[in-house]
Amino acid sequence: MERLSETVRIRVRFSEVDALRMVWHGCYMHYLEDAREAFGRKYGLTYLHIFNSGHVAPVADMHVQYRQPATIDDVLLVEIVYRPAPGGKLIFDYRITREPDASLILTATTIQLFTTCEGVFEPSSPEFFDAWKEKFRS
């Protein structure tokens, strides 16, 4: 499978920093979500497409390592990379860097598992996801 990735550019807003003038840790989860949405638009795996296929893909596991703080008006580059895995799960790796000096701000990994729209866990890979993976095989 070819390397599937996307990068989004985010400028830190005043409302995203805490009393120490650092980005509040929870805001980074929004930045990761922005990257997942951009990835989905680029590669045809939007949340709406997943939903219309009878499934949702909630985040089941998340690992985050904060490297250094970001602050008001910093421009951050959020890179998301799809990590192929067997079965029906989405694994993404992330790097958030500050532009223009490329300082590493955060690394993260998320795992999403498919459930039906009614919330029933889907232990096998849904057909639409198998077709999506096949489309990007090298």
Side-chain angles (χ1 to χ4, degrees):
M1 181 176 277
E2 67 180 273
R3 181 177 189 267
L4 305 180
S5 67
E6 177 65 307
T7 301
V8 295
R9 193 171 185 262
I10 295 170
R11 183 174 299 275
V12 175
R13 298 178 302 176
F14 173 78
S15 63
E16 297 170 333
V17 299
D18 59 20
L20 301 175
R21 298 186 318 187
M22 296 188 297
V23 171
W24 177 67
H25 67 278
C27 289
Y28 290 105
M29 303 317 108
H30 294 286
Y31 302 162
L32 302 182
E33 181 75 22
D34 290 345
R36 283 193 301 276
E37 289 178 352
F39 179 94
R41 285 189 298 274
K42 181 176 181 179
Y43 292 104
L45 195 62
T46 63
Y47 287 132
L48 188 56
H49 174 72
I50 294 169
F51 183 79
N52 288 338
S53 299
H55 294 83
V56 293
V59 173
D61 191 33
M62 178 183 293
H63 294 269
V64 178
Q65 292 186 328
Y66 300 95
R67 305 299 180 134
Q68 63 178 288
T71 192
I72 299 169
D73 235 16
D74 278 349
V75 175
L76 304 178
L77 299 177
V78 184
E79 180 188 29
I80 181 173
V81 178
Y82 170 73
R83 187 192 318 166
K89 61 185 164 185
L90 288 166
I91 302 177
F92 292 109
D93 295 311
Y94 309 81
R95 288 177 53 86
I96 298 181
T97 55
R98 183 182 299 110
E99 189 182 66
D101 66 0
S103 297
L104 183 60
I105 303 298
L106 177 144
T107 58
T109 299
T110 59
I111 299 174
Q112 294 170 259
L113 301 177
F114 291 105
T115 69
T116 65
C117 292
E118 294 76 32
V120 178
F121 174 64
E122 181 75 42
S124 60
S125 184
E127 286 183 28
F128 81 91
F129 187 55
D130 287 338
W132 181 83
K133 289 192 291 188
E134 185 61 33
K135 178 179 177 180
F136 290 100
R137 288 203 194 280
S138 298

